[in-house]
Amino acid sequence: MAFRYLALSLLMALPSTLVADPDGYINPVDWTPASEALDSSVQISGTFVAGAVFDEAQILDERPSLRAYVPSSLAGEEICMRAGSLDGSYEAQYRYKLPEPSDWRQGGVIDFGYETKHGNLLSELTTPDFAVALSVGACASDPDTYLVGYWNVADADSRLPVRLLINSLGAREAYIYVGSDPSVPAIDCTSLRRDQSATDIRSFDFSCVISPDVLDGARSMIEINTATAGVTDPPRFIELILPEGR
């Protein structure tokens, strides 16, 4: 499915403005970097969902790149982008502000860009070794709604698997349910830890791949379950926002 591109200009230290593209659509330009760090120490993120991206798509020549479909219903919302490498050596967080409803009358794919001092490194990182999450709401909030991103890949196809990357904080097992249909079986998640020792630290530790056939329209509810030593933790619920008409 082809979507009209709505470029998100990355302008620091400039007042927030709105710019029309050649077809007359309004492009959001309000972008605020919060942090970007690259070092050898492992930083464990406090966010349960570390990443939500389309998988198995064509790799772009120009990288790093981050795009996502944003419906018009999110006009005026903040979008928080969190990113990090599996080994914890890289972490970043950025805040985006979408235009108000009067300027955002239809949805489309937004090119969020990725302003970074480490472009050579990030252009080579793909899932599951790298996590990117675009959550709806302020970065200080506990997010439960996520845009599904296209990280370093083309957005020409929305009928792709979705990969969730989870920071379970040491659970031994993880599995998810998609939607409310009880006939849809659970999806087992794959551990990304080499072993269960205390020294095998990861900034996220499970990868869950969701087939496009079980995703429920433009908004899919996901129930995430984790367990340690046979004891199941309370489930967590998130919503994934996907391209409409997929």
Side-chain angles (χ1 to χ4, degrees), residues 82-105:
R82 297 178 177 90
S85 59
L86 176 62
D87 64 5
S89 61
Y90 175 87
E91 284 193 335
Q93 179 176 285
Y94 300 85
R95 181 188 70 86
Y96 301 89
K97 182 69 163 61
L98 298 177
E100 298 305 316
S102 60
D103 297 316
W104 191 252
R105 294 186 175 91

Side-chain angles (χ1 to χ4, degrees), residues 62-220:
E62 295 185 10
R63 306 186 300 271
S65 170
L66 178 60
R67 297 169 179 160
Y69 175 81
V70 181
S72 59
S73 59
L74 294 184
E77 292 279 2
E78 287 189 19
I79 302 295
C80 181
M81 190 284 292
R82 297 178 177 90
S85 59
L86 176 62
D87 64 5
S89 61
Y90 175 87
E91 284 193 335
Q93 179 176 285
Y94 300 85
R95 181 188 70 86
Y96 301 89
K97 182 69 163 61
L98 298 177
E100 298 305 316
S102 60
D103 297 316
W104 191 252
R105 294 186 175 91
Q106 71 176 44
V109 172
I110 285 182
D111 185 354
F112 287 91
Y114 201 101
E115 196 75 8
T116 177
K117 296 177 291 185
H118 309 291
N120 290 338
L121 169 68
L122 298 183
S123 66
E124 301 302 323
L125 289 175
T126 58
T127 58
D129 296 319
F130 191 74
V132 181
L134 289 162
S135 59
V136 178
C139 288
S141 65
D142 186 14
D144 59 10
T145 304
Y146 292 84
L147 307 172
V148 179
Y150 295 91
W151 169 251
N152 283 346
V153 298
D155 62 283
D157 189 0
S158 61
R159 292 285 302 173
L160 294 167
V162 171
R163 186 185 294 271
L164 289 182
L165 296 168
I166 297 171
N167 172 21
S168 76
L169 296 178
R172 299 298 178 95
E173 177 186 5
Y175 56 94
I176 63 176
Y177 292 99
V178 180
S180 56
D181 186 348
S183 67
V184 178
I187 298 172
D188 291 329
C189 303
T190 302
S191 175
L192 299 176
R193 303 180 73 180
R194 291 189 300 267
D195 55 58
Q196 296 297 329
S197 69
T199 59
D200 184 25
I201 300 175
R202 295 286 186 268
S203 57
F204 46 92
D205 51 8
F206 280 96
S207 171
C208 317
V209 178
I210 308 171
S211 166
D213 296 329
V214 301
L215 291 167
D216 186 19
R219 290 177 178 258
S220 285

